[in-house]
Amino acid sequence: MAWAIAAAGDPERADRLLGALLAVEPWHVPLSVLVQHWPQVALRLVDELSGNERS
Protein backbone atom coordinates (compact mmCIF):
# COMPACT_ATOMS: atom_id res chain seq x y z
CA MET A 1 0.00 0.00 0.00
CA ALA A 2 2.83 2.41 0.80
CA TRP A 3 4.32 1.83 -2.64
CA ALA A 4 1.00 2.67 -4.31
CA ILE A 5 0.64 5.82 -2.21
CA ALA A 6 4.15 6.94 -3.12
CA ALA A 7 3.57 6.15 -6.81
CA ALA A 8 0.37 8.22 -6.66
CA GLY A 9 2.45 11.24 -5.68
CA ASP A 10 2.33 11.31 -1.89
CA PRO A 11 5.74 10.04 -0.73
CA GLU A 12 5.47 11.73 2.67
CA ARG A 13 2.30 9.79 3.45
CA ALA A 14 3.98 6.59 2.26
CA ASP A 15 6.93 7.31 4.57
CA ARG A 16 4.61 7.83 7.53
CA LEU A 17 2.78 4.60 6.74
CA LEU A 18 6.02 2.63 6.55
CA GLY A 19 7.25 4.23 9.76
CA ALA A 20 4.06 3.27 11.56
CA LEU A 21 4.26 -0.25 10.20
CA LEU A 22 7.89 -0.64 11.30
CA ALA A 23 6.87 0.56 14.78
CA VAL A 24 4.11 -1.99 15.34
CA GLU A 25 4.83 -5.05 13.19
CA PRO A 26 7.70 -7.51 13.14
CA TRP A 27 10.50 -5.98 11.07
CA HIS A 28 10.81 -8.81 8.56
CA VAL A 29 7.43 -8.04 6.98
CA PRO A 30 7.75 -4.30 6.25
CA LEU A 31 11.51 -4.50 5.80
CA SER A 32 11.14 -6.83 2.82
CA VAL A 33 8.76 -4.32 1.21
CA LEU A 34 11.14 -1.48 2.01
CA VAL A 35 14.08 -3.30 0.43
CA GLN A 36 12.08 -4.16 -2.67
CA HIS A 37 10.69 -0.69 -3.34
CA TRP A 38 13.05 1.70 -1.55
CA PRO A 39 16.47 0.01 -1.32
CA GLN A 40 18.23 3.35 -0.72
CA VAL A 41 16.11 3.90 2.39
CA ALA A 42 16.91 0.40 3.66
CA LEU A 43 20.62 1.05 3.15
CA ARG A 44 20.37 4.36 4.99
CA LEU A 45 18.66 2.63 7.93
CA VAL A 46 21.37 -0.03 8.07
CA ASP A 47 24.07 2.63 7.93
CA GLU A 48 22.46 4.67 10.70
CA LEU A 49 21.99 1.64 12.92
CA SER A 50 25.54 0.43 12.36
CA GLY A 51 27.17 3.85 12.72
CA ASN A 52 28.41 3.88 9.09
CA GLU A 53 27.87 6.70 6.65
CA ARG A 54 27.69 6.41 2.88
CA SER A 55 29.05 9.17 0.68
Side-chain angles (χ1 to χ4, degrees), residues 26-47:
W27 275 65
H28 68 276
V29 174
L31 191 56
S32 66
V33 174
L34 189 66
V35 168
Q36 182 178 5
H37 296 287
W38 294 284
Q40 70 282 4
V41 174
L43 287 172
R44 190 172 65 231
L45 286 172
V46 169
D47 287 343

Side-chain angles (χ1 to χ4, degrees), residues 1-2 24 32 46-47 51-53:
M1 186 184 330
V24 298
S32 66
V46 169
D47 287 343
N52 294 327
E53 291 186 24

